[in-house]
């Protein structure tokens, strides 16, 4: 009986964790601009792109778990020189190879300008500010964290935008994220 109860509890725990979609954002310094991530909210991780070897500080991966409810996260970083940093919004890759979608909304930036941070100026999948990569990145007009619209992206289908940064100045990015379809 104890073993059966333990198996039920364990299967519910594993099921809940596997059904949560990962979120991932990449910060990419243009023209060799190095980046130093300084802090992240609880449940958010930052890692350099180790595969870039000596240039790994030009790309950081910001990631975490997304639940079915909107949750706010943040991270802070500094550019090592004046330059442009591209913020790629995407999803993670599950252990089984799936590329689940993550939903993003309600971005706020301090220390730089992020245009159309809540996707309210976006029309269908076109925007003056957000670029799209992949045909399945999509704009959703319901159940948003703030306003009327949010986006859903995965690892291969992304929205991205470049932001200007000054050397040594701290930039804070806050955002809401959840698993897609919630």
């Amino acid at each position: 009986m104890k073993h059966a109860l333990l198996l039920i509890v364990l299967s519910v725990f594993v099921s809940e964790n596997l059904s949560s979609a990962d979120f991932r954002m990449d910060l990419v310094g243009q023209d060799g601009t190095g980046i130093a991530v300084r802090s992240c909210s609880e449940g958010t991780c930052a890692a350099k792109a180790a595969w870039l070897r000596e240039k790994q500080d030009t790309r950081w991966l910001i990631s975490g778990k997304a639940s079915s409810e909107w949750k706010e996260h943040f991270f802070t970083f500094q550019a090592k020189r004046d330059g442009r940093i591209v913020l790629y919004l995407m999803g993670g890759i599950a252990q089984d190879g799936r590329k689940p979608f993550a939903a993003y909304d309600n971005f706020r930036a301090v220390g730089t300008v992020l245009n159309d941070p809540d996707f309210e100026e976006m029309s269908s999948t076109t925007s003056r500010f957000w670029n799209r990569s992949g045909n399945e990145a999509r704009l959703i007009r319901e159940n948003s964290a703030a306003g009327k619209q949010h986006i859903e992206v995965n690892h291969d289908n992304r929205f991205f935008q470049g932001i200007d940064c000054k050397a040594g100045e701290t930039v804070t990015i806050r955002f809401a994220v959840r698993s897609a379809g919630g």
Side-chain angles (χ1 to χ4, degrees):
M1 181 68 174
K2 283 184 189 179
H3 294 290
L5 182 58
L6 180 60
L7 286 174
I8 291 170
V9 170
L10 184 58
S11 68
V12 168
F13 174 78
V14 169
S15 170
E16 284 180 2
N17 285 315
L18 289 177
S19 66
S20 296
D22 288 328
F23 71 85
R24 176 175 152 187
M25 284 184 263
D26 285 11
L27 292 176
V28 181
Q30 300 297 284
D31 300 321
T33 301
I35 304 164
V37 174
R38 299 295 183 203
S39 65
C40 294
S41 57
E42 184 177 336
T44 306
C45 302
K48 291 179 186 177
W51 67 87
L52 295 176
R53 293 187 169 66
E54 67 277 351
K55 294 183 180 184
Q56 64 183 304
D57 72 336
T58 64
R59 186 175 194 132
W60 282 78
L61 289 57
I62 311 297
S63 62
K65 288 303 250 182
S67 69
S68 61
E69 300 294 322
W70 288 107
K71 182 177 179 190
E72 184 173 290
H73 294 268
F74 76 86
F75 60 92
T76 63
F77 69 93
Q78 295 173 326
K80 295 184 178 179
R81 64 182 174 120
D82 289 1
R84 192 152 182 86
I85 308 292
V86 178
L87 175 64
Y88 288 90
L89 308 180
M90 54 204 291
I93 300 175
Q95 289 181 347
D96 64 3
R98 288 180 306 110
K99 297 174 182 174
F101 279 79
Y104 291 95
D105 198 8
N106 200 25
F107 277 82
R108 291 168 322 279
V110 175
T112 191
V113 174
L114 183 63
N115 292 298
D116 194 18
D118 55 5
F119 312 102
E120 295 302 305
E121 295 179 43
M122 189 179 281
S123 170
S124 183
T125 55
T126 60
S127 171
R128 291 185 315 154
F129 305 112
W130 291 98
N131 298 295
R132 186 174 100 156
S133 172
N135 291 331
E136 294 180 37
R138 54 193 177 241
L139 178 70
I140 305 296
R141 293 187 170 103
E142 59 186 23
N143 302 322
S144 297
K148 297 178 182 175
Q149 302 182 145
H150 66 277
I151 60 161
E152 292 183 352
V153 292
N154 75 359
H155 187 272
D156 298 338
N157 298 278
R158 312 166 181 184
F159 282 105
F160 61 96
Q161 181 178 148
I163 55 177
D164 294 316
C165 298
K166 298 279 185 194
E169 290 188 15
T170 300
V171 174
T172 301
I173 304 285
R174 293 187 176 279
F175 59 98
V177 67
R178 67 168 169 77
S179 55

